[in-house]
Amino acid sequence: MPKEHKKRGRREEKKRKRGEDTSDVRPVKKPKHKDLDTEELEIITDVDNAAQYGNNQTLKSPGEMPFYGLLDEEEQEYFRRADELLEVNQFGDAEERNLFLANVYKEASGKELKIANSQSCSRLMERLIIMSTPQQLKVLFGKFSGHFLHLVQHRFASHCCETLFIKSAPIVTHELTTPLEQQQQAPDNREVYVSMENLFLYTLNELEGNLGYLMTDKFASHALRVLLVVLCGQPLAKSSTTSLLASRRKEKIGVAGVENKPDELGLTNRTVPDSFHVAVDKMIADTIVGLDTTYLRALATHPIGNPVLQLLLELELTGSGKQKAKDEKSVFHKLLPDNPPEEGTESASFIQGLVYDSVGSRLLESVVKFAPGKTFKALYRSLFKERLGSLARNEVAGFLVERILERLSKEDLEEAIQTILPQVGSLVERSRTSLIKIMIERCATRNVETSSISEALEKAYGSDTSSRISKMLKLTDGDSLTKTKDAFDSRKDKDPGKVHGSLLAQTMLSVPGPLSRLIADSLLALPMAVLLQVAKDRTASHVLQISLTSVNVSTHYRRNMIQRFFGHMKELATHASGSHVVDCFWTATQGLTFIQERMAEELLANETVIRDSFLGRAVWRNWRMDLYKRKKLDWIVLAKGGNGGEGGGAVNLNNYANETKGSSIQLAREKFAAAKVKKGKGVRVGVVTGANGIGRRINTPSERLKSGS
């Protein structure tokens, strides 16, 4: 019998023994750093480590997720079809849509939890929430009540909970300003009236005791952030808030035809009842109870726990006052117990460890932004003042420097700028111009001289005037502008460096002095072909528009710049980006009537082409070309009156509203004449026809036959 083939040697013997020892042990893969957002925090999952941090009950998992059942095939098909109809939103009128929604709610009665947990039907639930009435939202709140703790942890149901919280927040504010008698007039008198305020408080009570665990849950942390923002009354649609509530990859669920633009309540602070403020304070206290400094600092670098910690810190320092930072039980004091956190303390070491961390630096930005003035000054002078130059070079720490500049006084700002100026060339080379933009904005706010910044930028972009703006807007080396085939090709350009360069140029134009002259002179030096490319580019054209309407540029610049576009009005008026530039020409030519008339003549000469284009018709309307054709003298009066729109170039037509609409006596005459025409009598009436609106005689068909016409 043949022997088993074996390898000899000490290494093979060690491998064989190691394989025998670990044969019954399941291999454990070490998680990569980039997958931290899908893993639980090591401190929470490890029982031994949890014991050394107090073994707090708030860190325990709420238990296994319940199973709510599955929809059968017929139900899935019905709800899938309903989701498609809601998405396209092609109903005859609002009544038909409301009837459809009522039928869907009737069919979904008792199955709400199944739908919310379904991968294929959870989107339907979100669209239903978006289009629901306040009463329907309250009914849905009642269906979810008692299950929120598990729903917020579910991959699909958590999105439904977030949408429900966001859409219900304005109702709380509305109920505060509506008399109670009107609120209690429910469609069904048998139902007990429950305010939206109480429904939110019931939800918070349901989550109480598990907030510490939900902070680091992959799905529940988002719903927890939304609930915090709703309770404190912060704007729900503000950019600084939305970045904390959801990631950029979150799917945008919407309905065709329904405005997704935020309303007034979404952009401003909302009025919330006093019970919400008490609930927020209690929620923050319950979340951090028993959590010591070590655990909170571990959350600072956790991808999931960090945004929640940022929000808790912001709410604590803005809602409860700056004195809250001195409370030993506060989040701020637990993170930075040393007051002040000077060099050599544990708090200083913790801060220095967050500066270059891509996750932790975001929490440090919140600390710098909302910390009490005394604490910020101590932080700046001991930890950041001497290092601003090196911090500005780093891609992560640069954002922290921006937040620091926003809080500096005039004297400190002047010193900080002198420290950062040697790094301007490196920042420009790597397209990290957002920091330079913040410097210019803060100088304008604090009335600091900007000549040194202008010299540094001129040195960084080169002494050649014509190529300076091209480098700033990324117009050289085979730019996508030369490759565009239609008006919308430039939308595919996603170069962030180009966007930041455009924003920097716009900021420079908004500041009087050498910075605005630097951009204006560079634009005038561009060849006409490149200037047309700038006007047609979706990103770069904003610089040209601001230069034409800014008060910081001279009339000499506007006259010379506008005259260069003679002969190109038709080309720009029918272009997606160029049409906005033509609109700005109206504002830029105020006081330059002869240039304004020449541009109007050029538009009139190309009337057919311009009016055949959707974009051209907008330009035609903004320039009041119909008035120019009929009553040129009135148009000149309008042009000399300077009724141009601010920034957009749109003409103010309030003084001419009656011209298009017609006076009351004219409308009465037309109505009388129409009645006479029906009776077969010819009358002379003033009828507005097309753009001319010239009075003419209307004859009956019999009269036309008699006249031989």
Side-chain angles (χ1 to χ4, degrees), residues 8 18 32 54 69 109 132 137 150 217 250 270 346 354 434 459 463 496 577 580 618 635 707:
R8 294 180 298 173
R18 188 162 55 246
K32 297 181 180 179
S109 180
S132 294
L137 290 177
H150 300 291
D217 185 83
K250 178 179 171 63
R270 292 169 289 104
E346 291 186 4
L354 296 181
S434 60
K459 181 179 179 181
S463 57
S577 299
H580 296 289
W635 184 89
S707 63

Side-chain angles (χ1 to χ4, degrees), residues 490-545:
S490 57
R491 293 188 178 183
K492 300 176 183 178
D493 187 11
K494 297 181 180 180
D495 183 13
K498 185 175 184 177
V499 176
H500 286 295
S502 175
L503 293 174
L504 174 61
Q506 294 174 51
T507 304
M508 293 171 66
L509 286 168
S510 65
V511 179
L515 287 173
S516 57
R517 290 195 298 269
L518 205 66
I519 299 298
D521 294 344
S522 184
L523 285 172
L524 280 176
L526 286 177
M528 191 58 211
V530 179
L531 195 58
L532 282 175
Q533 291 177 350
V534 172
K536 293 180 181 180
D537 184 73
R538 181 170 176 256
T539 303
S541 63
H542 291 284
V543 178
L544 185 59
Q545 295 174 39

Side-chain angles (χ1 to χ4, degrees), residues 36 40 94 212 225 287 402 448-449 513 520 528 558 569 579 596 632 663 704:
L36 281 176
E40 295 293 346
R225 296 175 222 166
T287 303
E402 294 177 12
V448 176
E449 181 62 36
M528 191 58 211
R558 289 189 284 117
M569 294 294 289
S579 60
Q596 213 166 24
K632 185 175 179 179
S663 62
R704 293 176 180 172

Side-chain angles (χ1 to χ4, degrees), residues 135 181 183-193:
Q135 187 61 29
E181 294 76 11
Q183 299 179 28
Q184 293 179 348
Q185 294 177 358
D188 191 350
N189 295 328
R190 294 174 298 177
E191 296 182 2
V192 178
Y193 173 78

Side-chain angles (χ1 to χ4, degrees), residues 108-119:
S109 180
K111 307 168 188 172
E112 292 86 357
L113 298 177
K114 293 182 181 179
I115 297 174
N117 285 269
S118 172
Q119 179 179 3

